[in-house]
Structures are given as structure tokens and as C-alpha cells.
Amino acid sequence: MSDAPEVRPPVVTPVRVVIALCLLAPFVAMLWVGSYAKVDPEFIGIPFFYWYQMLWVLISTALTMIAYQLWQRDQRARRGGAK
């Protein structure tokens, strides 16, 4: 008999896939520079290049909050609803 805790392999669930997509989307959007490397359309005099990046700051914040909430819910469900 071993005192070592049981090691369970990682489980890929639909919720975890959504979490990964929420965290991956901002990276893909910012690394794909060709999609936003332009001046038009302007928004209140600000070139597209700048306001697109600033918009992604807000979107990234929202997606990170969603991912965190989903992760917390997933962890509670895995522990059997404790806490």
C-alpha cells in the first residue's frame, strides 16, 4: 500500500476547451497584425490600428473574467460541490 495520492490524468471537457479559447483568442487577434495594420476606418479621429488594439484590451479583460468564472465552476464541480 502506497501513501502516494492517486494521480488522475488531465481531463479535456467542453468547459475547459471554452476556457482555452477565451484565453487564446486575444493572442491570436494581436499576433495577426495583417488584419489590423491599417489606418481606416477611423473612430473619433483615432486610426483603426490604435482603437482596434485598445478594444482588445477590454475584450481580453472580459474573456479572462469569463475563463476565471468557468474555471472556478469547473473546480467546484470536480470537488463535488464543496465550498
Side-chain angles (χ1 to χ4, degrees):
M1 294 181 87
S2 172
D3 289 332
E6 180 182 332
V7 177
R8 291 183 278 178
V11 178
V12 177
T13 63
V15 172
R16 290 183 178 192
V17 171
V18 171
I19 291 169
L21 290 175
C22 284
L23 296 175
L24 188 64
F27 289 103
V28 172
M30 290 292 93
L31 289 176
W32 186 21
V33 177
S35 70
Y36 63 92
K38 52 190 171 189
V39 175
D40 290 325
E42 289 186 0
F43 177 69
I44 60 171
I46 301 171
F48 180 75
F49 180 79
Y50 294 111
W51 68 258
Y52 179 81
Q53 291 180 60
M54 291 300 108
L55 179 63
W56 269 101
V57 169
L58 300 175
I59 294 170
S60 298
T61 302
L63 289 174
T64 303
M65 289 180 355
I66 290 167
Y68 177 74
Q69 293 297 320
L70 289 172
W71 179 256
Q72 292 297 322
R73 183 184 308 170
D74 184 58
Q75 292 304 302
R76 280 194 302 271
R78 289 176 64 86
R79 284 191 299 255
K83 188 179 176 187

